[in-house]
Amino acid sequence: MEFTRRLLNWYQINKRTLPFRNSKDPYHIWVSEIMAQQTQIQTMIPYYERWIELFPTIEALAKADIEVVLKMWEGLGYYNRARNLHKGAQYVVDHFGGKLPASKEKLMEIPGIGDYTSSAIAAIAFDLPEIAVDGNVKRVMARYLNYTENANTKEAHKTFENFLKHELIESGASPSDFVQAMMELGALVYTPSNTECIGSPFEEMCACYRGENVGVIPYFPKTKKVPSYQKTVYIYTEKNHILVSNDDSDGLMKGLVRLPQIEGHPDAVPIMKMVHKFTHLHWDIHVHEIDIMPQSDAYYLIPIQNLKDITLVTAHRKILKKLEYL
């Protein structure tokens, strides 16, 4: 099969050396796939290496205190990923004897593992003929097939998956290499900016490389404007202590420590401004130093030197670093 031959030849020459590629341990693949969601590979590599060092097995992760787990995740954001890894590890210990099952269907029983992650683990770790379709793969397939419809629909996913599974099975290639090659091609060549697919191993086989619909594929409908909320963060210190809060009533980053934060912006001039972006909303933050401690049951003082030992919401950790408290 020419598609697969060209794909795998390109992969063997161009694939990056990544720590999780040196392992066939399904647990390592699981962790790497979860960390890579919403995070660039180069950013997540040191987190991955520290994680595997501290939690070398599923059993070690399952036994860990959730606060330690969240602390290890600090800086990666989207903390539900860490919580789900922890819950998933406990589920695997309780239901699968501490070992990930070699079955896409069984993998999907585990908390936090959905269609994509189960396919990736099944193919990469167990060499099962499953296809993992992520954003990188969507770009490759939409441009290759000249797929002009919405590439985020179930129909598009099925079209791409069916094409790739046919190529995989007919060629007899290793599912592990095939799936990783597709991901790598999307990450390194079929990027959002490389609309002409320069460097594609498929060349004339690819519709966009031939010049068809260049710059408009894959097509994703415009998303609704993300709402922005004005927030004010207070910095209050007293005798080498700093005021923090455990108020997570906004439903974001449950269980994480934060600085005192209120709605709106006061008239006073802030010492710092920043915008922190979540998937579904933005925080437009003004930071103020204050001399009088605000009162709330959720507020409490901790030694400044202890800031490094607690798990802080990412936006507030950035503020504390900028102001050199961390």
Side-chain angles (χ1 to χ4, degrees):
M1 303 291 287
E2 185 65 10
F3 177 95
T4 303
R5 186 188 69 79
R6 293 195 191 188
L7 172 68
L8 295 182
N9 284 347
W10 174 89
Y11 179 62
Q12 290 306 316
I13 296 169
N14 295 282
K15 65 181 178 180
R16 291 170 290 182
T17 300
L18 302 173
F20 38 88
R21 287 215 175 117
N22 298 326
S23 173
K24 275 290 188 178
D25 187 325
Y27 168 59
H28 293 177
I29 305 303
W30 178 23
V31 172
S32 70
E33 287 297 332
I34 298 299
M35 283 190 172
Q37 295 169 13
Q38 309 291 338
T39 306
Q40 293 183 348
I41 294 294
Q42 291 306 314
T43 300
M44 58 81 73
I45 285 175
Y47 287 90
Y48 168 82
E49 292 175 331
R50 289 193 295 267
W51 183 281
I52 295 302
E53 183 177 355
L54 186 61
F55 311 125
T57 64
I58 291 176
E59 289 88 347
L61 176 57
K63 292 176 182 177
D65 187 280
I66 186 60
E67 295 303 321
V68 176
V69 172
L70 293 175
K71 183 62 181 175
M72 285 298 295
W73 197 269
E74 189 177 31
L76 280 175
Y78 302 98
Y79 284 87
N80 276 340
R81 294 183 293 168
R83 291 189 180 93
N84 283 333
L85 270 171
H86 189 239
K87 289 178 186 175
Q90 293 174 333
Y91 187 95
V92 172
V93 168
D94 291 341
H95 294 82
F96 298 119
K99 296 186 181 299
L100 286 170
S103 159
K104 175 179 169 66
E105 291 70 26
K106 290 292 184 183
L107 286 165
M108 289 186 69
E109 296 177 9
I110 300 167
I113 295 183
D115 180 74
Y116 167 77
T117 306
S118 61
S119 294
I121 296 171
I124 298 171
F126 296 113
D127 240 4
L128 298 176
E130 301 291 349
I131 301 297
V133 179
D134 65 355
N136 289 324
V137 173
K138 286 178 183 178
R139 278 198 308 279
V140 176
M141 293 314 303
R143 291 178 184 174
Y144 180 91
L145 297 173
N146 197 24
Y147 191 89
T148 57
E149 302 298 317
N150 181 358
N152 268 343
T153 64
K154 290 181 180 179
E155 290 78 11
H157 186 285
K158 201 66 182 173
T159 297
F160 302 155
E161 183 181 51
N162 287 344
F163 176 91
L164 292 170
K165 185 166 283 192
H166 174 78
E167 291 289 332
L168 170 62
I169 292 173
E170 288 296 311
S171 68
S174 158
S176 180
D177 287 343
F178 186 92
V179 165
Q180 291 184 89
M182 285 298 300
M183 294 176 181
E184 195 78 330
L185 185 62
L188 300 183
V189 175
Y190 279 70
T191 61
S193 60
N194 185 16
T195 56
E196 296 178 349
C197 310
I198 297 168
S200 168
F202 306 127
E203 297 184 340
E204 81 288 347
M205 296 171 67
C206 170
C208 278
Y209 186 95
R210 294 195 303 264
E212 299 178 41
N213 289 308
V214 173
V216 297
I217 295 179
Y219 164 65
F220 300 119
K222 290 183 179 179
T223 56
K224 294 181 181 179
K225 186 177 180 180
V226 175
S228 180
Y229 298 95
Q230 293 184 341
K231 304 284 185 180
T232 294
V233 165
Y234 290 129
I235 302 289
Y236 174 81
T237 59
E238 178 183 307
K239 297 179 180 178
N240 295 319
H241 285 64
I242 189 166
L243 193 67
V244 295
S245 170
N246 59 16
D247 180 10
D248 56 13
S249 57
D250 56 13
L252 297 171
M253 298 160 289
K254 286 284 187 180
L256 272 62
V257 180
R258 59 195 70 201
L259 295 167
Q261 178 171 279
I262 63 169
E263 302 292 330
H265 291 161
D267 292 334
V269 178
I271 62 169
M272 176 182 169
K273 295 180 182 180
M274 69 173 288
V275 174
H276 186 74
K277 297 180 180 180
F278 299 92
T279 304
H280 58 294
L281 59 87
H282 295 169
W283 279 352
D284 177 14
I285 301 174
H286 285 193
V287 182
H288 292 264
E289 285 184 325
I290 55 175
D291 297 323
I292 300 174
M293 185 169 73
Q295 298 301 308
S296 169
D297 292 340
Y299 298 167
Y300 57 99
L301 289 163
I302 67 167
I304 292 173
Q305 66 183 21
N306 289 0
L307 283 172
K308 66 182 185 301
D309 301 320
I310 60 176
T311 309
L312 294 153
V313 302
T314 301
H316 295 180
R317 186 170 60 86
K318 289 179 179 178
I319 291 169
L320 290 165
K321 279 191 170 183
K322 186 74 173 178
L323 297 177
E324 299 184 346
Y325 287 98
L326 274 174

